[in-house]
Amino acid sequence: MRTACEVEADLALTLLPLVSRLTTRGNVEVLSQIMSRFFREEDRSRFGLANAITAFARDTRDPDLRWIWRSLVAESPSV
């Protein structure tokens, strides 16, 4: 069994649950920021995507939103 660090992220499949939750215009900007963070780094694994989401959450000022984004990473088996 390979770990999340060893599996290259299949972005279409990995992001599908995330995109399905992002239905409003403001959330499209959030997805854009997360993807920007993801592509800035060399790690294209699921772990790298989880790091990008967690980094976005860490920089979010609203504590409720921060919790939601961190929970999304913890809950999602695809990330």
Side-chain angles (χ1 to χ4, degrees), residues 6-19:
E6 299 168 327
V7 178
E8 188 169 315
D10 180 337
L11 291 181
L13 295 175
T14 303
L15 289 177
L16 197 55
L18 179 62
V19 171

Side-chain angles (χ1 to χ4, degrees), residues 1-59:
M1 178 180 222
R2 297 186 299 173
T3 67
C5 292
E6 299 168 327
V7 178
E8 188 169 315
D10 180 337
L11 291 181
L13 295 175
T14 303
L15 289 177
L16 197 55
L18 179 62
V19 171
S20 70
R21 294 180 186 197
L22 301 176
T23 57
T24 64
R25 177 93 171 125
N27 287 333
V28 171
E29 177 61 29
V30 168
L31 182 60
S32 175
Q33 290 180 33
I34 290 170
M35 295 312 300
S36 176
R37 289 172 188 263
F38 177 69
F39 286 116
R40 266 187 263 149
E41 301 298 325
E42 292 182 21
D43 186 357
R44 296 292 187 267
S45 69
R46 291 178 180 174
F47 183 75
L49 180 58
N51 280 339
I53 295 169
T54 302
F56 172 80
R58 182 185 58 238
D59 294 342

